[in-house]
């Protein structure tokens, strides 16, 4: 089921009204962190050679990115806000989903 952008994510990206540039700045930082966590996971997988693990991780990440893009585009369409707010809403959605993905990768690192 589609979940709307969480209030805490929108607050991170707003200053009274949605500001796409603030969202995008925070999104860039979150994406750098996600790439860093993915590198750590690749190293962990390399230390325990399992056939297909690296390619599975790569496909998983690519599939997740495609899902995030589709989901966040849909979120804007379903929430009924003005197109003027689309960049901020989509960026906020991407930010929230990226933060969640970072937690998922961190849990995988702890296994």
């Amino acid at each position: 089921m589609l979940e709307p952008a969480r209030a805490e994510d929108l607050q991170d990206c707003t200053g009274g009204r949605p500001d796409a540039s603030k969202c995008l700045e925070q999104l860039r930082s979150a994406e750098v962190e996600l790439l860093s966590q993915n590198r750590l996971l690749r190293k962990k997988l390399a230390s325990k050679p399992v056939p297909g693990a690296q390619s599975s991780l790569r496909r998983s990440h690519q599939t997740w990115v495609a899902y995030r893009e589709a989901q966040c585009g849909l979120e804007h369409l379903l929430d009924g806000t003005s197109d003027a707010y689309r960049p901020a809403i989509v960026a906020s959605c991407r930010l929230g989903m990226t933060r969640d993905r970072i937690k998922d990768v961190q849990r995988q690192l702890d296994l």
Side-chain angles (χ1 to χ4, degrees):
M1 181 169 182
L2 182 66
E3 293 183 21
R6 296 177 302 229
E8 65 268 18
D9 292 329
L10 285 173
Q11 287 173 350
D12 285 348
C13 299
T14 61
R17 63 182 180 153
D19 182 346
S21 64
K22 286 182 184 178
C23 294
L24 290 172
E25 181 179 317
Q26 291 175 33
L27 177 59
R28 278 187 220 104
S29 294
E31 286 179 334
V32 166
E33 176 64 20
L34 178 58
L35 291 174
S36 174
Q37 294 298 311
N38 276 333
R39 272 192 293 276
L40 292 173
L41 187 54
R42 277 195 309 272
K43 286 180 183 178
K44 179 180 179 177
L45 290 172
S47 72
K48 301 177 186 179
V50 176
Q54 295 289 335
S55 62
S56 181
L57 176 61
R58 187 173 30 261
R59 280 192 318 274
S60 172
H61 182 72
Q62 290 169 342
T63 301
W64 175 81
V65 169
Y67 170 73
R68 180 189 70 170
E69 297 308 304
Q71 187 72 10
C72 291
L74 180 61
E75 185 171 307
H76 165 65
L77 294 173
L78 294 177
D79 83 357
T81 59
S82 163
D83 282 344
Y85 293 109
R86 183 182 195 286
I89 290 168
V90 170
S92 177
C93 174
R94 288 175 181 160
L95 176 61
M97 290 185 74
T98 301
R99 287 176 175 167
D100 289 344
R101 181 66 175 175
I102 289 167
K103 291 175 189 172
D104 290 342
V105 173
Q106 289 170 337
R107 278 192 292 273
Q108 291 171 342
L109 284 165
D110 291 338
L111 294 177

